Amino acid sequence: MGLIKTGLYVGAGVGIAYLLFRPRTALGASSVRVTDYGRFKASLRHRAQVYADYLLAAQDEYRVSPFLLYGIMEIESRSGEILSPPGPSGTGDSGHGHGLMQIDDRTWSAWLKLVDPATGTPLWQIPRENIRKGADILSSGAKLFTLTKAVIIKELLIGGEGLPDPRPMRGDLYTRASLAAYNAGPGNVLLAVARGRDPDSVTYGGNYSMLVLGAASGALTAFKAAGGTPVT
């Protein structure tokens, strides 16, 4: 996935990770479920508020935090503002990233060819579908980090290193690895953690999960300040 070169959200505490993204199931269920649409929408930056409905819908379908999905959308494309052309139909990352969640054609080329049968519009240009795909990618990647050590993947066998398997992951590490995987791929992140490195060490800029958590925590703070109460 592409990444904005900005320090805009650096500085958020990692402690919010466990609150936002607790693995209740193999899909990495969110421990923070939002039902207050009005306060949730108001907690987002103005440019992202039009997508609040889709973020909440993806929360229920893929069981991931809408705050994390918002954070990814902000870091990947500033909710479409920096794409070419600006908006949900734009691209980034030298043309590789598509739409709000920057779905990458080097990994998801088959999905990017899909179109709405009624209109012929590519699915990635439809905000609801782009956000759904982003949620699917995040949820699927997170699943890898909750598996038991008995499930072997090729990344841990590279070079005959015999690396220890750090799974199942919990708490902050689980959340940060899941977010880093959205940018760098779950196999690369798992290998980094197995080698004792930070999950972000393989992401573009080296701080992807922290940037996402910064954006997510800002929205959650605003949500709570307005009287919003997440359902756990």
Side-chain angles (χ1 to χ4, degrees):
M1 305 295 173
L3 177 63
I4 301 170
K5 297 180 179 179
T6 176
L8 191 61
Y9 299 112
V10 172
V14 181
I16 198 171
Y18 190 69
L19 172 65
L20 284 171
F21 201 65
R22 181 180 301 166
R24 277 205 311 261
T25 73
L27 290 179
S30 166
S31 64
V32 176
R33 184 175 180 277
V34 176
T35 58
D36 189 334
Y37 170 76
R39 288 190 175 92
F40 175 70
K41 179 179 179 180
S43 74
L44 311 181
R45 287 176 177 264
H46 185 266
R47 62 192 175 214
Q49 290 181 2
V50 67
Y51 308 121
D53 272 335
Y54 309 138
L55 294 169
L56 291 183
Q59 156 190 255
D60 292 327
E61 183 176 1
Y62 293 99
R63 298 180 64 80
V64 295
S65 166
F67 293 108
L68 289 184
L69 293 176
Y70 162 72
I72 290 173
M73 187 172 70
E74 275 289 288
I75 298 308
E76 289 287 345
S77 71
R78 289 188 188 164
S79 300
E81 194 172 82
I82 63 165
L83 300 182
S84 180
S89 297
T91 61
D93 191 18
S94 300
H96 291 296
H98 292 66
L100 298 170
M101 303 294 280
Q102 286 293 275
I103 311 302
D104 199 303
D105 60 11
R106 291 163 292 193
T107 305
W108 307 104
S109 59
W111 183 84
L112 289 168
K113 295 175 183 177
L114 299 178
V115 300
D116 183 321
T119 65
T121 303
L123 292 187
W124 70 265
Q125 294 183 354
I126 302 172
R128 177 186 66 255
E129 298 302 326
N130 196 280
I131 290 170
R132 286 184 68 228
K133 185 59 179 178
D136 180 33
I137 293 169
L138 176 63
S139 179
S140 297
K143 181 179 179 179
L144 177 67
F145 303 123
T146 63
L147 297 175
T148 65
K149 295 178 174 63
V151 181
I152 303 300
I153 67 166
K154 67 181 186 303
E155 281 79 5
L156 295 181
L157 303 176
I158 292 175
E161 295 178 61
L163 294 170
D165 193 331
R167 299 172 295 172
M169 298 182 192
R170 294 287 184 265
D172 289 350
L173 177 61
Y174 169 75
T175 304
R176 294 192 59 226
S178 299
L179 294 173
Y182 191 90
N183 177 254
N188 292 327
V189 173
L190 181 59
L191 181 59
V193 174
R195 286 173 171 165
R197 296 165 58 190
D198 188 276
D200 271 336
S201 64
V202 291
T203 65
Y204 183 89
N207 61 347
Y208 183 83
S209 74
M210 294 301 295
L211 290 173
V212 172
L213 285 170
S217 65
L220 179 59
T221 298
F223 178 76
K224 288 183 173 180
T229 304
V231 178
T232 59

